[in-house]
């Protein structure tokens, strides 16, 4: 927010100062918020009859590009932040009629998972809670214009949510606040590669929020190979964390399991996984792998073998589903479309700084 006199509708304290300074009727604030955050009206409709529309900056993100799938109705939005970095959010229009928004919590990701394009971007910057919320607002406005509602919000986009925990929880506070977005916590899911302390804090603060763990292997050495952060949070600690979340929340945790050929899909892997999940209240979600340029050594498990894996887990009494990936024609992998442009921006920014301070015409990121 470059101009301090122009404020975001998400800025609770600034909105209250504005109300007091101009002696606005609290009902005028309620109407503005209801139109914008609950009904996702357009900016013009939301500001209708509001006495100081020039004081508001409705969006902290600029929509840079939009990609609409010709296959399944998914929409991928690329947003530019004030700093010039790109992030992405994806609207998934499920065949059942429900819609899900996948939002980002960071630019890049420090978790650096081997299979993830976002983790290979070489940068990790936290998004402000306003930038997280604006993804929801702009997606909601797109759907409202289609006379469709936004049903679910999942933090499965760019970034490890618990590496940006403060902004994550601030965003969830307003998403679930009755005087703001008024979203049901049970319709919000936060996915993590396994930041145990963050999972426990979120479960305590928002017991109805859904949690998902990107497990991907029940073998510690294998998991460390594909998820470097696993060295900090070993499997025994993760299992204890899920058990605690089950107790605090009273509902299941989703276990995400990316199917990688020859890495985690053997009969031995099935046995390890079923033993690890035994006694936990979980829902196993098997995910077909979409290859990325930066991991040519990884291949996805064949679809018939994924089906066999799922059947084997079900026979062991584990609730199991196979994820159907939408938007493949517009999204080869999360973060892939923005990686090169963000890296170019970082190099240019570094080069500009070097040029100002030293007169150099070159820079390296």
């Amino acid at each position: 927010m470059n101009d301090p006199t122009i404020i975001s509708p998400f800025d609770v304290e600034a909105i209250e100062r504005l109300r007091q300074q101009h002696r606005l009727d609290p009902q005028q604030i309620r109407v503005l918020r209801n139109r914008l955050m609950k009904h996702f009206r357009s900016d013009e409709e939301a500001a209708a009859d509001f006495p100081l529309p020039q004081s508001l900056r409705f969006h902290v993100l600029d929509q840079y590009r939009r990609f609409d799938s010709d296959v399944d109705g998914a929409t991928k939005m690329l947003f530019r932040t004030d700093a010039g970095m790109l992030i992405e959010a994806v609207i998934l229009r499920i065949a059942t009629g429900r819609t899900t928004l996948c939002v980002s919590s960071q630019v890049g990701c420090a978790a650096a998972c081997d299979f993830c394009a976002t983790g290979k971007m070489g940068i990790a910057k936290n998004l402000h809670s306003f930038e997280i919320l604006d993804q929801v607002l702009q997606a909601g406005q797109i759907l409202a214009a289609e006379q469709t509602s936004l049903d679910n919000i999942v933090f499965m986009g760019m970034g490890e949510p618990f590496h940006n925990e403060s902004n994550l929880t601030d965003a969830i506070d307003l998403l679930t606040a009755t005087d703001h977005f008024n979203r049901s916590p049970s319709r919000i899911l936060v996915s993590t590669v396994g930041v145990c302390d963050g999972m426990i804090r979120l479960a305590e603060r928002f017991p109805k929020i859904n949690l998902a763990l990107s497990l991907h292997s029940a073998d510690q050495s294998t998991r460390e190979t594909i998820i470097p952060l696993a060295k900090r949070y070993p499997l025994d600690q993760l299992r204890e964390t899920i058990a605690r979340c089950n107790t605090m929340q009273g509902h299941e945790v989703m276990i995400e399991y990316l199917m990688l050929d020859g890495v985690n899909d053997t009969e031995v892997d099935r046995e390890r996984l079923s033993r690890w999940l035994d006694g936990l209240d979980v829902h196993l979600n098997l995910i077909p792998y979409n290859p990325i340029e930066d991991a040519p050594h990884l291949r996805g498990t064949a679809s018939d073998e994924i089906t066999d894996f799922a059947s084997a887990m079900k026979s062991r009494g584990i609730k199991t589903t196979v994820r159907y990936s939408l938007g493949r024609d517009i999204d080869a992998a999360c973060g892939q479309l923005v990686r090169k442009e963000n890296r170019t921006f970082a190099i240019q920014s570094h080069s500009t700084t070097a040029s100002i301070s030293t007169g150099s015409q070159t820079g390296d990121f």
Side-chain angles (χ1 to χ4, degrees):
M1 307 297 290
N2 298 325
D3 187 342
T5 66
I6 301 178
I7 61 176
S8 167
F10 308 134
D11 193 331
V12 177
E13 294 180 356
I15 288 289
E16 178 58 21
R17 288 195 300 269
L18 181 72
R19 187 195 69 78
Q20 293 180 5
Q21 180 182 353
H22 295 276
R23 299 182 180 179
L24 300 179
D25 186 337
Q27 179 63 13
Q28 293 174 306
I29 302 297
R30 285 193 291 270
V31 169
L32 173 71
R33 285 174 173 160
N34 287 345
R35 288 174 177 173
L36 194 65
M37 302 179 201
K38 295 180 182 178
H39 302 293
F40 296 122
R41 302 277 183 86
S42 68
D43 300 347
E44 294 76 16
E45 291 175 317
D49 305 323
F50 189 73
L52 299 165
Q54 71 280 1
S55 298
L56 299 175
R57 181 188 175 190
F58 286 94
H59 303 292
V60 295
L61 299 173
D62 293 324
Q63 192 172 133
Y64 175 70
R65 292 184 70 185
R66 171 176 168 172
F67 302 85
D68 293 296
S69 172
D70 294 325
V71 177
D72 50 39
T75 294
K76 179 164 185 162
M77 297 168 292
L78 268 60
F79 294 111
R80 189 183 292 280
T81 70
D82 279 347
M85 306 296 282
L86 295 182
I87 61 170
E88 60 191 37
V90 180
I91 299 173
L92 303 171
R93 298 173 181 85
I94 313 301
T96 59
R98 287 200 169 276
T99 59
T100 295
L101 174 66
C102 180
V103 299
S104 294
S105 56
Q106 294 182 301
V107 181
C109 183
C113 297
D114 193 30
F115 48 79
C116 179
T118 302
K120 295 180 181 295
M121 287 173 63
I123 51 176
K125 296 182 182 296
N126 289 337
L127 294 179
H128 192 279
S129 62
F130 297 174
E131 293 170 319
I132 295 172
L133 294 169
D134 197 22
Q135 295 172 64
V136 178
L137 174 57
Q138 294 200 47
Q141 288 176 320
I142 289 173
L143 291 169
E146 300 171 0
Q147 298 185 326
T148 305
S149 62
L150 173 59
D151 297 307
N152 303 306
I153 300 169
V154 296
F155 286 83
M156 289 184 175
M158 299 169 63
E160 164 53 55
F162 291 118
H163 286 169
N164 188 17
E165 188 175 347
S166 175
N167 285 303
L168 169 71
T169 53
D170 286 348
I172 293 175
D173 273 333
L174 289 193
L175 286 173
T176 56
T178 55
D179 60 347
H180 282 75
F181 286 86
N182 196 31
R183 313 299 298 185
S184 169
S186 64
R187 294 291 183 183
I188 300 173
L189 181 144
V190 177
S191 176
T192 175
V193 295
V195 180
C196 294
D197 43 356
M199 293 174 69
I200 291 170
R201 284 192 294 269
L202 192 79
E204 289 176 333
R205 183 167 178 176
F206 303 104
K208 294 184 179 180
I209 289 283
N210 296 294
L211 279 166
L213 169 66
S214 292
L215 182 67
H216 307 319
S217 178
D219 175 71
Q220 182 63 28
S221 61
T222 300
R223 194 165 190 271
E224 288 180 10
T225 300
I226 57 178
I227 305 175
L229 198 65
K231 297 174 183 177
R232 181 174 178 183
Y233 299 102
L235 284 168
D236 288 347
Q237 185 180 359
L238 276 178
R239 197 179 188 287
E240 292 174 4
T241 297
I242 293 174
R244 286 188 62 183
C245 291
N246 284 160
T247 299
M248 289 186 289
Q249 296 187 300
H251 59 79
E252 66 189 21
V253 171
M254 178 184 287
I255 302 297
E256 298 170 308
Y257 197 90
L258 189 65
M259 299 297 297
L260 298 171
D261 182 37
V263 176
N264 62 358
D265 61 352
T266 67
E267 181 62 37
V268 172
D269 292 307
R270 297 179 190 181
E271 292 297 330
R272 285 177 179 146
L273 181 60
S274 62
R275 287 197 302 270
W276 195 85
L277 296 176
D278 185 47
L280 298 175
D281 186 5
V282 295
H283 167 198
L284 177 63
N285 190 222
L286 304 180
I287 307 172
Y289 174 61
N290 294 321
I292 62 172
E293 295 177 1
D294 299 284
H297 55 290
L298 295 178
R299 296 180 301 173
T301 303
S303 59
D304 58 336
E305 294 179 18
I306 295 177
T307 300
D308 290 343
F309 197 103
S311 297
M313 301 310 293
K314 290 177 184 177
S315 70
R316 292 166 168 81
I318 298 169
K319 182 179 178 181
T320 305
T321 55
V322 177
R323 182 177 301 178
Y324 174 71
S325 297
L326 301 180
R328 291 189 180 185
D329 58 322
I330 57 171
D331 179 29
C334 181
Q336 199 155 25
L337 288 178
V338 303
R339 181 186 176 204
K340 290 182 180 179
E341 293 206 39
N342 277 340
R343 187 170 177 82
T344 298
F345 171 82
I347 292 172
Q348 290 174 342
S349 297
H350 184 93
S351 178
T352 301
T353 302
S355 177
I356 291 172
S357 59
T358 67
S360 170
Q361 297 299 310
T362 62
D364 189 23
F365 175 66

